[in-house]
Amino acid sequence: MRLKTRVLAGLIAFAALATSATAGDYYAGKSIDLLIGAPPGGGYDIYARALARHYGRHIPGQPTIVAKNMPGAGSARAAGFISTMAPKDGTAIAAIMPGAVMGPLLEERAEALFDPAKVLYLGTANSGTRICVARKDSKVKTFDDARAQKAAFGGVSSNDSTREYGYMLKKTAGAQYDVVSGYSGTAEIALAMERGEIDGACGWDWSSFKSQRPDWIRDNKVNLLLQVGLEPNAELTRMGVPEVFKYVTNEDDRKVVELVIAQQVFQRSYIAPPGLAAEQLEALRAAFDATMRDKDFLADAETMRIDIAPLSGAKVQELVQKLYAAPKDMVARARQAITP
C-alpha cells in the first residue's frame, strides 16, 4: 500500500512537471496581446498596464505581454473581438469592464457582441466600491443636495457605470440631476468637471478616482457624496461618506440595486476566448493568481494608488453564471432602473 501511494504521488508530481514544461515550451518566445476595453488614461487602462508589466513573468515560458487599447461599447467591443475574431490559442486576452458582462443581461436592446457566460475568466484584480462625486464649488455638497435640486452629472455610454448608476440612483434613491452622457471615459468627465460643464458624476470607481485625481482629494477639491457597494468601504466610511442603502429604502428597489452592483465583485476582469484549451487556461489562471500575490506587482500597484482585492477566474466564472440565472422579473426591474 505504501509503495502504491509513493508511485501515485510520483505520477502526480511528474504530470504537474510535464504540464508546466509543456506550457513553458508553448509560450516560449511568444507574445500575448492584452486588449484594454477602455481609452488610455482611465482606471481600467491603469490597472491593465500594471498587470501587463508583471503577468508574463508568471506564465511558463515568460511571453511578452503587449497592452493595446480597444475602447468601444463599454469594453464590449474588446470582449466581442476576443470571443469571435481573436486567436483561440492563449495569445490574446482582454481587460473588460463589469458593465460589459452585465450589459446583455440588463439591457434589453443591447447588441450581443459576445456571450458573457461563455468567455473564460482569468480572474479579477479588484472588488470595488463606486462613488458619487461633485465639484467643490458646485451647489451639490451632499447627496441630499443631489436629491433636492437640479444638477448636471456626466456619463459615458451604455455598459458604463457612470451612465447606468447615474440613472439607477435617480430611480431608486431620488437623485434629481440630469445625466449628460457621451463622454469617452472618466478622464474626460474629470476634464468636464474642471471646466465647469458638469457638476459631478456617479458610478466612478473609488480606486480609479484616487489614482486618476489624487490632488482632488489631497487639496479638498471635491465633495464625496455617496459610496455604492454591497458592503461599506472602510476608508470612505471613515471619511463620512454615506452608503447607498441609506437612500434606497424600498425593499424592491434595494433588490434591484443589489443585482446591479453585484458586478462590482468582479470589477477588473480579464478574459480569454471560448474554446481555449484547458492547458492554456490553467496556465493563464495560475499565472494571474501568482501575479496578484507578487510583491513587485503589489508595490507597483501601491505606487499607482490602485487597490488590489483579487478573485480567481473560477470564482468569477461561477458568479457570472449565477447572475445570468437571476429571476426574470428581477432582471426586468433592474433593466428599467438603469435605462434613461
Side-chain angles (χ1 to χ4, degrees):
M1 181 65 71
R2 285 196 297 270
L3 177 61
K4 288 182 178 179
T5 301
R6 287 197 297 271
V7 170
L8 180 60
L11 289 172
I12 292 171
F14 178 78
L17 286 171
T19 298
S20 178
T22 302
D25 293 341
Y26 179 78
Y27 278 111
K30 291 186 178 181
S31 63
I32 297 176
D33 286 340
L34 170 55
L35 306 180
I36 305 170
Y44 286 86
D45 185 61
I46 292 170
Y47 266 87
R49 290 182 184 277
L51 175 73
R53 289 192 288 273
H54 303 273
Y55 191 27
R57 293 200 313 274
H58 298 282
I59 300 173
Q62 299 190 343
T64 301
I65 308 297
V66 183
K68 301 177 180 179
N69 293 89
M70 186 182 280
S75 78
R77 179 181 171 221
F81 181 86
I82 285 290
S83 296
T84 60
M85 299 181 66
K88 293 175 170 52
D89 60 359
T91 61
I93 60 176
I96 63 170
M97 301 177 183
V101 179
M102 299 293 282
L105 177 68
L106 296 181
E107 295 191 21
E108 196 168 13
R109 296 180 180 84
E111 184 180 358
L113 299 178
F114 78 113
D115 186 340
K118 290 185 178 179
V119 295
L120 302 173
Y121 295 86
L122 305 178
T124 181
N126 190 34
S127 300
T129 300
R130 289 171 172 164
I131 58 170
C132 290
V133 61
R135 296 192 328 267
K136 199 68 180 180
D137 62 350
S138 167
K139 57 191 175 184
V140 179
K141 309 297 183 186
T142 67
F143 194 73
D144 286 304
D145 291 336
R147 299 172 79 219
Q149 54 191 308
K150 287 289 186 181
F153 273 42
V156 181
S157 62
S158 59
N159 290 340
D160 189 272
S161 60
T162 53
R163 180 178 182 268
E164 293 183 348
Y165 281 42
Y167 284 114
M168 178 184 72
L169 293 170
K170 282 174 67 69
K171 296 182 180 183
T172 63
Q176 296 298 309
Y177 51 68
D178 293 322
V179 178
V180 182
S181 58
Y183 292 100
S184 64
T186 50
E188 189 176 1
I189 286 175
L191 292 174
M193 287 175 62
E194 289 181 326
R195 292 193 296 261
E197 294 175 5
I198 54 176
D199 294 281
C202 280
W204 202 328
D205 176 67
W206 172 232
S207 180
S208 294
F209 182 82
K210 290 188 293 181
S211 180
Q212 289 175 271
R213 297 290 171 169
D215 58 308
W216 284 10
I217 302 170
R218 183 192 65 226
D219 300 335
N220 196 29
K221 292 182 177 180
V222 290
N223 302 311
L224 299 176
L225 310 176
L226 193 69
Q227 56 170 302
V228 184
L230 293 175
E231 299 292 337
N233 178 285
E235 182 181 20
L236 289 166
T237 299
R238 286 194 300 271
M239 297 169 72
V241 182
E243 298 172 50
V244 64
F245 293 113
K246 174 182 176 181
Y247 298 99
V248 181
T249 56
N250 177 278
E251 185 61 27
D252 286 341
D253 286 343
R254 184 185 180 97
K255 290 177 181 177
V256 163
V257 172
E258 287 175 346
L259 176 62
V260 173
I261 69 177
Q263 62 187 270
Q264 294 170 205
V265 176
F266 49 89
Q267 185 89 328
R268 311 284 176 179
S269 290
Y270 297 84
I271 62 169
L276 179 66
E279 184 178 320
Q280 272 78 58
L281 177 61
E282 180 184 347
L284 292 174
R285 281 182 169 177
F288 184 89
D289 294 342
T291 304
M292 295 298 104
R293 300 188 299 266
D294 183 278
K295 62 180 182 179
D296 292 332
F297 169 73
L298 294 173
D300 195 4
E302 185 175 359
T303 300
M304 300 297 294
R305 298 185 179 89
I306 57 176
D307 297 332
I308 302 299
L311 195 65
S312 72
K315 289 188 179 296
V316 176
Q317 199 92 42
E318 181 182 359
L319 177 58
V320 172
Q321 297 286 351
K322 286 182 178 178
L323 286 170
Y324 271 78
K328 291 184 178 180
D329 62 329
M330 185 60 60
V331 171
R333 288 201 295 269
R335 282 176 179 168
Q336 187 178 22
I338 65 173
T339 302

